[in-house]
Amino acid sequence: MEPFIADWLNFAIRWGHMIAGIAWIGTSFYFVALDFSLKTRPDLPQGVRGEAWEVHGGGFYHVQKYLSAPATLPEHLTWFKWEAYLTWVTGFFLLAVVYYFNASANLIDPAIAELAPWQAIVISLISIVAGWAIYDGLCRSPIGQKTGLLAACVFALILGFAFIFTHLFSGRGAFIHAGVITGTIMAANVFMVIIPNQRKITAALIRGETPDPRLGAIGKQRSLHNTYLTLPVLLMMVSNHFAMLTDAPHAWLLVGLIFIGGAALRHFLVRHEVGDPLSRTAWTLPVIFVSLGGAWLLSSSPLFSLDWANLFIRWGHMIAGIAWIGTSFYFVALDFSLRKEPGMPAGVGGEAWEVHGGGFYHVRKYLTAPETLPKDLIWFKWEAYLTWVTGFLLLVVLYYLQADSYLIDPNIMPLTQLQAIGISIASLALGWVLYTALCKSPIGRSTGLLAIVLFAMLLAFAWGYTHVFSGRGAFIHIGALIGTLMAANVFMVIIPNQRKITAALLKGEKPDPRLGSQGKQRSLHNTYLTLPVLAMMVSNHFPMITDSPHAWMLAGLIILAGGLARHFLVRTEVGDRHADLAWMLPLIGAALAMGLMITQPSKLVLFPGEVTDAEALHIVQTRCAACHAEYPADATIKVAPKGVHLETLEQLKRYSAQVWVQSIANKAMPLGNRTGMLDEERAKLGTWIARQ
């Protein structure tokens, strides 16, 4: 596949995969936390295990969970399934685009196994099917009745596949397949077991029959497995950034250690949410530190490399971001699924019945507040705060401490490290000041005018960033600016206003209506900025976007297309007819088409003459080996990126497919063209690779 087309497919599918995955895992995080926050009281309706009161987006939500089902089962039930299905489908498409269509570069390593692309793809497909079949067979066997033994067998299964993958595929291919096997098990649990069992239980209840208790037990077992596999699979998906993991001599052992550490961390977080004292969960801490510390020692990276800080902060940023945005997705969808039924209490705007993890949830939303406001209110704030804090720490580790490599491009503007960092911090603060001033000004009273002015402001910042920072640095700062606005909206406006409203209600006073309207405005902005900020965070994978001469225009097109796509999804959830929403589709298509035109690469020109082995090797030794070496000469690079070494002819032949994609087709490397690689050298190197 043409690298240009493959990269755009990669970008679009990766964006969709992130959105679906956040919706799925974020919803799972929400329900796990909700279940552990439920409180009981003597006068709860029959069958109700507990209840919770939540505050989100200016509304008060009353949730009751039924252990089996209410006496009268409602006609309209909300099922949580499409998030899991779409996550798997988009993940498989991403696997195909990155690892199947580009198998020679990304999936196959001739030094590990001499595979033809079709052989590698067949092995991949068979392993995915076999992984689910073996796992499902274990769960249904007598082993499945013993939690500890089953956990050990599932761990051995994943470890066995990791061993096979690391002896057949490239390092990156092996780790991503360990993640794919796990993700397939999780999605198939939903599709093949959890949802079908819940439907059987529901059908029995509607008929007035007693459901088979085994259905609930099996569903709960699979749901529990998904809970404990979540953090390890997230780390697997991040692993292809880190050659210290994927190219370690005992990479399969690293996979096992990551699964142990991730599952133990999830157990600690789950039991903490339950309210267990530290004395009961303290045993998980040495397990976490020993397993992840063992991975640290077994890796191929210097022990004090910034890559480790990058890895763990990125992992934490993903977890916090999924919890924040996933919860936001959930409440937006919930609000649009609420139904107004006769006989509801005063002040209730609507109610919904949901099925998740074998439980039935009855949710009512109060537009103002109930007559008696409970003391125990759940506030959704720490997810947003932790997302911003971990995101800023990641900005520090990757772009501030390594500014010469990732933030500064002398060809754009010759900045010192301190100057670049100062501009970065000042711009984030200035962005918030300008944004909040606009919201509070007369412009803020007109939704349409404010949207136009805010879009113009973000476009201006994008233009400024692309004329100051490197391509990657510019796009990550556009994302950081949008993320800062979103997090500050929660910290500075939404939560403080909700607390003022709650305090007034507790005192029996009427809250200032401006508080609610301000919070609603900022919450609406966060809703529409979500998809663009996710695209910005993915952008540093794609030099076609970040290194485009018109990168600031691309940023504007992404913000426009992302905002329109979010509006389309929101209005679809409301129930608007697609005919009334059709006007958005050509606009989204036009934005993407313009992006394709802007990034259209010039025709690839190869060198017409002969290129010797010595000449090709001299080019990579001169232009590439400063970073891609066992001991990089570039002081800012500690470990060869993606574990690719280009010091010998054998190494050049081994990684020729990667060199073709990154240096010839995409011209993404050398990073920022720091070594001054000439177009003639690219043409010669391309000719040499093409004739191998």
Side-chain angles (χ1 to χ4, degrees), residues 17-361:
H17 185 54
M18 282 188 68
I19 294 167
I22 287 171
W24 178 24
I25 299 175
T27 300
S28 175
F29 282 174
Y30 165 78
F31 275 102
V32 168
L34 171 63
D35 284 354
F36 293 136
S37 67
L38 296 173
K39 296 186 179 297
T40 60
R41 54 183 172 86
D43 55 340
L44 283 174
Q46 184 178 2
V48 174
R49 172 192 166 188
E51 65 180 1
W53 286 88
E54 304 171 328
V55 183
H56 191 276
F60 294 83
Y61 298 83
H62 182 216
V63 186
Q64 291 184 331
K65 180 180 180 180
Y66 288 77
L67 284 178
S68 56
T72 304
L73 201 64
E75 181 182 353
H76 301 286
L77 283 172
T78 301
W79 299 81
F80 296 90
K81 55 182 181 177
W82 290 108
E83 302 89 345
Y85 304 165
L86 287 174
T87 300
W88 189 88
V89 169
T90 53
F92 184 78
F93 283 158
L94 196 58
L95 182 71
V97 169
V98 178
Y99 289 92
Y100 290 176
F101 295 162
N102 236 337
S104 297
N106 296 328
L107 186 55
I108 299 169
D109 186 341
I112 295 175
E114 290 278 1
L115 296 173
W118 71 267
Q119 291 174 320
I121 294 169
V122 168
I123 291 171
S124 168
L125 293 171
I126 291 174
S127 68
I128 293 171
V129 175
W132 163 251
I134 297 171
Y135 162 80
D136 189 55
L138 286 170
C139 291
R140 295 176 186 273
S141 74
I143 293 173
Q145 299 171 15
K146 300 178 180 179
T147 302
L149 180 59
L150 178 60
C153 289
V154 172
F155 174 73
L157 171 68
I158 294 172
L159 197 62
F161 271 107
F163 179 84
I164 293 170
F165 290 146
T166 55
H167 287 76
L168 288 177
F169 296 149
S170 67
R172 293 178 65 195
F175 264 71
I176 208 69
H177 272 80
V180 168
I181 288 282
T182 309
T184 297
I185 288 172
M186 294 171 66
N189 273 339
V190 176
F191 180 68
M192 304 288 285
V193 179
I194 296 172
I195 293 296
N197 283 14
Q198 287 179 338
R199 288 199 179 280
K200 291 175 184 176
I201 292 171
T202 303
L205 291 168
I206 290 175
R207 294 194 302 266
E209 301 172 358
T210 301
D212 185 345
R214 292 177 301 174
L215 296 174
I218 292 170
K220 184 177 180 181
Q221 179 194 59
R222 303 301 180 96
S223 183
L224 186 68
H225 293 177
N226 282 8
T227 296
Y228 282 92
L229 290 173
T230 300
L231 300 194
V233 81
L234 290 177
L235 194 54
M236 289 293 116
M237 297 310 178
V238 174
S239 66
N240 58 11
H241 291 271
F242 302 97
M244 62 188 183
L245 298 179
T246 58
D247 293 340
H250 304 288
W252 64 278
L253 284 175
L254 286 175
V255 172
L257 291 170
I258 287 170
F259 270 83
I260 293 173
L265 177 59
R266 188 69 181 120
H267 184 75
F268 177 84
L269 295 174
V270 164
R271 300 314 303 176
H272 175 72
E273 288 171 341
V274 174
D276 284 358
L278 183 61
S279 59
R280 291 188 60 184
T281 57
W283 66 268
T284 62
L285 300 180
V287 173
I288 295 167
F289 287 118
V290 168
S291 56
L292 297 181
W296 180 39
L297 293 172
L298 285 174
S299 74
S300 59
S301 173
L303 295 184
F304 298 102
S305 168
L306 283 176
D307 284 343
W308 280 102
N310 184 347
L311 171 64
F312 288 122
I313 295 171
R314 189 182 297 267
W315 192 22
H317 185 54
M318 283 184 68
I319 295 168
I322 288 170
W324 177 25
I325 299 176
T327 300
S328 174
F329 282 173
Y330 165 78
F331 274 102
V332 169
L334 170 63
D335 284 354
F336 294 136
S337 68
L338 295 173
R339 296 177 179 272
K340 187 74 174 178
E341 302 290 347
M344 289 193 301
V348 174
E351 67 178 9
W353 285 89
E354 303 172 329
V355 183
H356 190 276
F360 292 83
Y361 298 82

Side-chain angles (χ1 to χ4, degrees), residues 456-469:
M457 185 192 88
L458 292 175
L459 202 60
F461 270 95
W463 185 89
Y465 285 140
T466 57
H467 286 74
V468 173
F469 297 144

Side-chain angles (χ1 to χ4, degrees), residues 447-584:
T447 301
L449 179 59
L450 179 60
I452 293 171
V453 174
L454 290 180
F455 176 74
M457 185 192 88
L458 292 175
L459 202 60
F461 270 95
W463 185 89
Y465 285 140
T466 57
H467 286 74
V468 173
F469 297 144
S470 67
R472 291 181 65 181
F475 264 76
I476 208 67
H477 271 80
I478 301 167
L481 174 61
I482 296 174
T484 297
L485 300 184
M486 293 171 66
N489 273 340
V490 176
F491 181 66
M492 303 289 284
V493 179
I494 296 172
I495 292 297
N497 283 16
Q498 287 178 339
R499 288 199 178 280
K500 291 175 184 176
I501 291 171
T502 303
L505 291 169
L506 287 172
K507 290 185 289 189
E509 301 173 356
K510 187 176 181 180
D512 185 343
R514 292 176 300 176
L515 297 173
S517 61
Q518 290 169 1
K520 185 176 180 180
Q521 180 192 58
R522 303 302 180 94
S523 184
L524 185 68
H525 293 176
N526 281 8
T527 296
Y528 281 91
L529 289 173
T530 299
L531 301 196
V533 79
L534 292 177
M536 295 299 165
M537 297 310 179
V538 172
S539 67
N540 59 10
H541 291 270
F542 304 98
M544 63 178 182
I545 295 175
T546 58
D547 294 340
S548 168
H550 307 290
W552 64 277
M553 291 180 61
L554 283 171
L557 291 171
I558 289 171
I559 293 171
L560 181 63
L564 286 170
R566 188 69 182 120
H567 186 67
F568 182 86
L569 295 173
V570 165
R571 299 315 304 176
T572 298
E573 289 171 340
V574 172
D576 287 1
R577 296 184 309 156
H578 283 151
D580 297 332
L581 306 175
W583 63 271
M584 284 179 277

